[in-house]
Amino acid sequence: MDGKFVNWPEAKIHVLTHALHYGTGVFEGIRAYPSEGNLWVFRLQDHMARLFNSAKVYRLKCNFTADELCDATLELLRKNKIQATTYIRPIVYASHLDVRLDILKGSSSVAICAFPMEKLFEREGLNVCVSSWRRIDDSSTPPLAKACGNYINSILAKIEASSNGFDDAILLDRNGAVSEGSGENIFIVKSGELATPPLTCSILPGITRETVMTVAQDLGIRVEERAISRAELYTSDEVFFTGTAAEIEPILTIDGRTVSDSRAGPITRRLVDLYGRIVRGKEPKYVRWVTSVYGKT
Ligand code: PMP
């Protein structure tokens, strides 16, 4: 927290902290994976770069450089001697104690937490719905910034999904085109080709999304960023979510319509497999994306 290592029970903030009341923070979700006696952080620098972009939108100052936050993350993992699959949560937030809205004169703080986390979802393959809530929009709270307050929108969708017995929700953008999941980007497979909504459909520019696009193209699979309609979801050969926490997660039904015979399709399975190897530093072609925690790469 702000440059100091703090034990878990003491990692506390004041109840009047600005960010608690107004969602005035930006954050990241990063994963680290154990393999061959080492721990590998996936796309650490890219996540920190996105954190700084998010902070820029809200003019939140970070009192450390991106490189310093990367080093602090690695040190945090080493200090805790972490060997398990880990979720890392850096956050930059308005930390002054004031109920006034203007944050330009306020202070900001930074914290990084790390804790073991295996799968995000309880089951392999999801039953999802299309939410009645629309995704937030660039004209109000830009989805491109991973801001704390944005997640109130995701949480409305999540509440609706769980209370109706679904694992998660897909949100449409203000024009009714498919946007993304509550905390994941979305891909469809049609006739052996991938499609995913573009940044103009109110999505977070996901790092897993970019990973999948790059890897798929390297495999010779065509990938298109284009607007996707709701009915197109129902009639796709395969559909999957991507996200740091969710990884690559097959979607088996959408609003009660079966996708790919209710099991992960061949392209999804191939990508899940390869992604699992890439994040553990086992694919020489993509070692540039992993950072070794213990010792040299
Ligand atoms: N969209 C939203 C709204 C998210 O919260 C996330 C998770 N960070 C994603 C997409 C996926 O992004 P990434 O692959 O960078 O984790």
Side-chain angles (χ1 to χ4, degrees):
M1 296 177 83
D2 291 320
K4 291 198 193 74
F5 289 96
V6 179
N7 284 325
W8 186 280
E10 282 91 53
K12 294 175 181 168
I13 55 166
H14 195 280
V15 73
L16 265 182
T17 302
H18 199 275
L20 175 65
H21 297 257
Y22 301 120
T24 39
V26 294
F27 67 98
E28 273 304 314
I30 310 171
R31 265 192 191 270
Y33 294 87
S35 167
E36 323 214 331
N38 204 342
L39 188 71
W40 306 91
V41 187
F42 189 57
R43 302 196 65 168
L44 177 59
Q45 291 81 7
D46 296 322
H47 278 285
M48 291 306 180
R50 188 172 66 185
L51 181 71
F52 276 74
N53 274 337
S54 300
K56 194 173 187 181
V57 173
Y58 290 97
R59 294 181 62 176
L60 273 165
K61 282 187 303 293
C62 181
N63 304 314
F64 298 87
T65 65
D67 282 347
E68 284 171 334
L69 295 189
C70 289
D71 290 345
T73 302
L74 297 172
E75 213 183 323
L76 178 68
L77 297 169
R78 289 186 198 120
K79 257 195 157 38
N80 284 290
K81 301 188 174 57
I82 292 182
Q83 301 281 2
T85 304
T86 304
Y87 188 78
I88 303 156
R89 168 56 58 86
I91 183 166
V92 177
Y93 61 99
S95 54
H96 53 290
L97 312 182
D98 194 351
V99 294
R100 293 178 187 87
L101 293 181
D102 188 5
I103 60 168
L104 291 183
K105 288 184 221 82
S107 62
S108 64
S109 284
V110 58
I112 309 172
C113 325
F115 48 90
M117 187 168 100
E118 295 288 338
K119 288 266 164 217
L120 176 68
F121 293 105
E122 280 159 23
R123 66 174 99 232
E124 185 82 23
L126 306 178
N127 300 312
V128 307
C129 60
V130 172
S131 182
S132 66
W133 297 100
R134 290 293 169 98
R135 186 72 183 126
I136 47 167
D137 190 76
D138 198 60
S139 64
S140 54
T141 47
L144 178 147
K146 197 168 169 57
C148 299
N150 285 359
Y151 283 80
I152 277 293
N153 174 241
S154 299
I155 284 161
L156 283 173
K158 194 83 192 180
I159 290 170
E160 181 184 33
S162 346
S163 57
N164 290 321
F166 294 101
D167 299 312
D168 209 347
I170 297 166
L171 289 99
L172 305 179
D173 71 5
R174 65 186 296 175
N175 302 313
V178 172
S179 177
E180 60 182 347
S182 62
E184 310 88 8
N185 293 114
I186 192 165
F187 283 81
I188 63 168
V189 180
K190 197 123 201 192
S191 312
E193 295 182 358
L194 285 177
T196 192
L199 295 191
T200 45
C201 286
S202 291
I203 65 162
L204 179 80
I207 288 168
T208 321
R209 172 184 181 271
E210 203 263 334
T211 301
V212 164
M213 289 171 68
T214 303
V215 168
Q217 275 158 346
D218 290 350
L219 290 172
I221 301 168
R222 218 173 96 92
V223 185
E224 210 183 346
E225 287 181 272
R226 63 168 175 84
I228 294 169
S229 73
R230 178 177 187 161
E232 218 181 333
L233 288 178
Y234 300 153
T235 54
S236 293
D237 300 331
E238 304 175 36
V239 184
F240 59 87
F241 277 147
T242 62
T244 298
E247 304 172 295
I248 299 174
E249 184 64 46
I251 292 174
L252 305 183
T253 70
I254 305 168
D255 292 337
R257 277 92 166 164
T258 300
V259 182
S260 73
D261 298 329
S262 273
R263 55 199 158 85
I267 292 186
T268 310
R269 273 188 278 122
R270 194 170 172 200
L271 290 167
V272 167
D273 223 55
L274 191 51
Y275 184 76
R277 295 178 51 76
I278 291 170
V279 296
R280 287 172 181 81
K282 290 182 179 174
E283 283 292 327
K285 189 170 182 167
Y286 304 107
V287 283
R288 66 179 186 277
W289 282 338
V290 291
T291 307
S292 159
V293 176
Y294 305 109
K296 286 195 172 41
T297 52

